[in-house]
Amino acid sequence: MSTAFTVRDVPDDIARAIKIRAAEAGQSLQGYLLGLILREASKPSLAEMAARAERYASDQVDHADVIAALDEGRRGR
């Protein structure tokens, strides 16, 4: 089942910009906005990211581990 959304009070300049972007992408306004909504909904929220970080966090990391990780990252540039 799908749900319809209505967005009210969109400023004219914003509506115009979105319509132009949809046209440039070769999409209908509905298709373009649906794509934006799908992309946004597929990203984790800040709360989800914090929970994930909490799960991966370890109190067994010391300063030498952090320095080694930084050095490795710098070598990869």
Side-chain angles (χ1 to χ4, degrees):
M1 177 181 222
S2 63
T3 301
F5 289 98
T6 300
V7 180
R8 300 185 195 290
D9 301 323
V10 178
D12 290 338
D13 58 330
I14 300 300
R16 193 170 25 261
I18 294 296
K19 287 177 184 178
I20 289 170
R21 289 182 185 182
E24 289 174 345
Q27 295 180 305
S28 66
L29 182 58
Q30 178 179 338
Y32 184 78
L33 290 172
L34 180 57
L36 289 176
I37 292 168
L38 291 172
R39 281 192 298 279
E40 182 62 29
S42 68
K43 290 189 239 175
S45 69
L46 290 177
E48 291 166 334
M49 289 173 33
R52 187 181 304 164
E54 187 75 26
R55 283 194 307 272
Y56 292 121
S58 170
D59 59 351
Q60 297 177 9
V61 175
D62 64 17
H63 71 282
D65 295 326
V66 173
I67 292 172
L70 288 171
D71 288 342
E72 182 178 336
R74 289 182 181 131
R75 283 192 299 270
R77 289 189 205 174

